[in-house]
Amino acid sequence: MMNLMTNRRLPMFLLAPMVAGLLTACQEPQQSEEPKTLALDTAEARLSYGVALRMGQRMKSDGMIVDVDAYAAGLRDAMEDNEQKLTDEEIQAEMVAFQERIQAEQEAERERVATENAEKGAAYLEENAKREGVMVTESGLQYEIVEAGEGPHPTTDDSVEVHYEGKLIDGTVFDSSIQRGQTVTFGVTQVIAGWTEALQLMRPGAKFKLHIPPELAYGAGGAGNMIGPNATLVFDVELVSIVSPESDSEE
């Protein structure tokens, strides 16, 4: 919930030195003859087949279309010290072009998802604000008081102990201290803006349901693999206790 990091990457095989020199062709596979029966009866044969199989599985899962015959030819030329059919400059140009194409496709998909999430989130918040018991702050944070709690409100100087469960607006749970059965303690200002604001409205023992617009959550960057760009988030939060600076230092 607090330190989710975005992890966007290029296909893994682009980062593997043993594969990088082999990416000489990225086109539709050609029809080949019926494969010959392969006898994997030596250690070298089994290792070679295993390495190639794992590379192929990674490439396929990353969406790369490979000309298998050209791939095999490049491997053979490398292993047999044959003359290269492409110069180093030509190979590098093809790899750079492929990388740029992948990046462009990823960015286009990210923008599509960001727009879709923003539109769905705005519609959700608009309807949610009409429900009885939902309060909307000046920042756009929406919250419901499930239980009021008692005592003082936390300040920005405090740390708090909480239980929580975070969901997307479709109900998907992306993080839950409740499911883990262990509370979490952190500074009031060490979390997303929607949490910092909401915590200062709570009292120990309080339970709130928060509906947080993306600009008060992770914004266009998203977080981790589950929280996409411009995602609106829903949290069930229980403020277990306030941890003052004095008691924190005593520990």
Side-chain angles (χ1 to χ4, degrees):
M1 182 273 299
M2 291 183 288
N3 294 312
L4 293 173
M5 299 296 290
T6 304
N7 180 24
R8 304 297 183 192
R9 62 176 178 84
L10 292 174
M12 289 177 61
F13 61 83
L14 284 179
L15 306 179
M18 64 189 303
V19 180
L22 305 178
L23 300 181
T24 61
C26 299
Q27 50 188 324
E28 291 289 347
Q30 300 174 350
Q31 294 295 327
S32 58
E33 298 178 357
E34 188 72 21
K36 298 178 181 179
T37 302
L38 183 63
L40 301 177
D41 51 7
T42 67
E44 290 80 6
R46 290 191 293 272
L47 176 62
S48 299
Y49 178 81
V51 169
L53 181 67
R54 290 291 179 262
M55 288 182 184
Q57 288 171 334
R58 286 206 306 270
M59 292 177 182
K60 183 175 181 180
S61 68
D62 286 325
M64 181 179 179
I65 299 175
V66 177
D67 184 321
V68 177
D69 292 336
Y71 183 95
L75 178 60
R76 184 177 296 106
D77 287 347
M79 300 302 294
E80 297 178 358
D81 293 324
N82 296 332
E83 182 179 355
Q84 294 183 192
K85 296 177 175 62
L86 293 173
T87 66
D88 289 344
E89 290 76 14
E90 289 173 325
I91 293 172
Q92 182 64 22
E94 290 296 334
M95 293 178 64
V96 169
F98 177 76
Q99 181 174 332
E100 290 176 346
R101 185 166 68 252
I102 291 295
Q103 288 176 326
E105 291 173 356
Q106 290 176 337
E107 183 58 30
E109 174 62 12
R110 184 172 182 79
E111 290 178 1
R112 184 195 68 77
V113 172
T115 299
E116 181 179 283
N117 285 345
E119 292 174 350
K120 289 182 177 180
Y124 169 86
L125 292 170
E126 182 179 358
E127 287 302 311
N128 190 65
K130 300 174 184 177
R131 293 195 302 110
E132 184 178 355
V134 174
M135 288 171 275
V136 184
T137 70
E138 186 176 346
S139 70
L141 171 69
Q142 297 183 6
Y143 68 96
E144 301 171 70
I145 300 175
V146 181
E147 293 184 20
E150 295 180 350
H153 299 286
T155 71
T156 55
D157 294 325
D158 292 323
S159 293
V160 290
E161 180 186 5
V162 302
H163 250 326
Y164 69 91
E165 183 164 85
K167 300 177 183 179
L168 306 177
I169 58 175
D170 65 2
T172 301
V173 176
F174 59 81
D175 194 10
S176 176
S177 73
I178 297 171
Q179 291 183 11
R180 292 192 296 271
Q182 186 174 11
T183 60
V184 179
T185 299
F186 49 80
V188 170
T189 60
Q190 292 178 327
V191 286
I192 57 177
W195 267 69
T196 296
E197 180 179 356
L199 287 168
Q200 295 176 82
L201 301 173
M202 302 178 73
R203 302 176 189 271
K207 294 182 180 180
F208 279 24
K209 180 178 284 291
L210 311 180
H211 310 267
I212 305 180
E215 59 270 20
L216 300 179
Y218 295 100
N225 294 322
M226 295 187 69
I227 302 176
N230 290 337
T232 295
L233 306 180
V234 179
F235 286 94
D236 292 304
V237 182
E238 176 186 0
L239 177 56
V240 177
S241 66
I242 299 173
V243 183
S244 66
E246 291 77 15
S247 61
D248 193 36
S249 61
E250 290 173 3
E251 295 177 2

